[in-house]
Amino acid sequence: MKYYSNKQSRGNTLLPLFKELGIENDIEMVEVDYAKIHDAEYLKINPMGKVPCLVDGPAVISETAAIYAYLADKYHEKGLAPALNDPMRGEYLKWLFFCHGPMTEYMDIKYLQVPEAQIEKCRSALSMGNEDAVFAFLKQGMKQANPYLTGEKFTAADLYLAYWIAYAVQFKILPYLDEFDPFIQRVKKRDSVQDVDWLQKL
Ligand SMILES: N[C@@H](CCC(=O)N[C@@H](CS)C(=O)NCC(=O)O)C(=O)O
């Protein structure tokens, strides 16, 4: 497998997953220079001119959440994704999609400093709704985590959410809510995230 990424990108979100799955040595890391990311050579791989992107044989997998889901399933024996017929797989997918959809949209909107009035005007059309909705969803998920999002077993969704929260808190996009703490403190103990400074600082 080839992993196209850039050291200053959300491609780093996947690095702890490679460690959890024990596949670091099976992946050829390709550093994509941002100055060349819109050149024809890279656009042939991902026409969006974005990283990360994983190439596995004939399959070209872009979108962070898709790479998370794909790898956790490909190495299913490592236990990072609930079984296909496990209802908790639905919860697991919900969290992967939440991170990729509403939560990322929230982070983008905060970063762009979109005025509150504009957000409220478009609220029903926005995938995140508004800040209150995002916070309510996160708080309920954290409260119900027992201790992980889908129960006793740690999954790829826990890793993605913890990483995304830590990133957003570090860049002051998201406040570090009290409700996050038990979950974050548990995830940050994992060997795979010892070098993720954003998480270790929390
Ligand atoms: N929806 C994509 C977004 C990827 C993305 O925005 N990547 C940024 C880096 S964090 C990128 O490649 N930027 C380079 C550019 O657009 O020129 C995902 O979640 O994987």
Side-chain angles (χ1 to χ4, degrees), residues 6 8-11 34 37-38 42 46 48-53 62-65 67 100 104 160 164 167:
N6 178 288
Q8 306 294 326
S9 81
R10 74 192 74 195
Y34 279 148
I37 201 165
H38 296 287
Y42 185 69
N46 183 0
M48 287 197 76
K50 293 280 186 189
V51 286
C53 192
S62 54
E63 301 305 322
T64 305
I67 302 172
H100 198 69
T104 300
Y160 191 13
W164 231 194
Y167 172 86

Side-chain angles (χ1 to χ4, degrees), residues 13-171:
T13 320
L14 267 302
L15 303 182
L17 184 71
F18 299 164
K19 291 185 185 160
E20 291 280 349
L21 297 172
I23 57 170
E24 288 165 286
N25 296 335
D26 302 328
I27 294 182
E28 183 189 336
M29 306 294 270
V30 184
E31 180 73 8
V32 181
D33 183 346
Y34 279 148
K36 297 188 182 151
I37 201 165
H38 296 287
D39 287 0
E41 196 188 343
Y42 185 69
L43 293 180
K44 265 193 286 179
I45 300 165
N46 183 0
M48 287 197 76
K50 293 280 186 189
V51 286
C53 192
L54 180 79
V55 177
D56 189 3
V60 179
I61 307 139
S62 54
E63 301 305 322
T64 305
I67 302 172
Y68 255 96
Y70 173 71
L71 288 176
D73 283 349
K74 180 174 167 110
Y75 299 95
H76 198 259
E77 70 284 359
K78 299 281 164 58
L80 288 186
L84 289 179
N85 61 353
D86 179 347
M88 291 316 275
R89 185 173 172 89
E91 288 265 346
Y92 160 81
L93 292 172
K94 174 182 82 177
W95 282 104
L96 286 182
F97 282 69
F98 172 77
C99 289
H100 198 69
M103 187 161 165
T104 300
E105 184 178 77
Y106 170 77
M107 287 155 67
D108 289 342
I109 277 176
K110 284 302 243 189
Y111 175 68
L112 292 170
Q113 300 181 319
V114 178
E116 279 306 312
Q118 182 68 12
I119 296 173
E120 280 313 308
K121 215 168 106 192
C122 305
R123 179 181 177 174
S124 59
L126 289 171
S127 115
M128 66 159 209
N130 63 9
E131 181 171 274
D132 288 348
V134 173
F135 285 11
F137 190 86
L138 281 168
K139 283 182 187 176
Q140 191 198 58
M142 298 287 102
K143 253 194 244 155
Q144 289 176 353
N146 186 25
Y148 298 114
L149 295 170
T150 58
E152 282 174 18
K153 286 185 86 180
F154 177 81
T155 71
D158 295 299
L159 196 56
Y160 191 13
L161 181 65
Y163 198 111
W164 231 194
I165 287 177
Y167 172 86
V169 170
Q170 166 77 19
F171 288 96

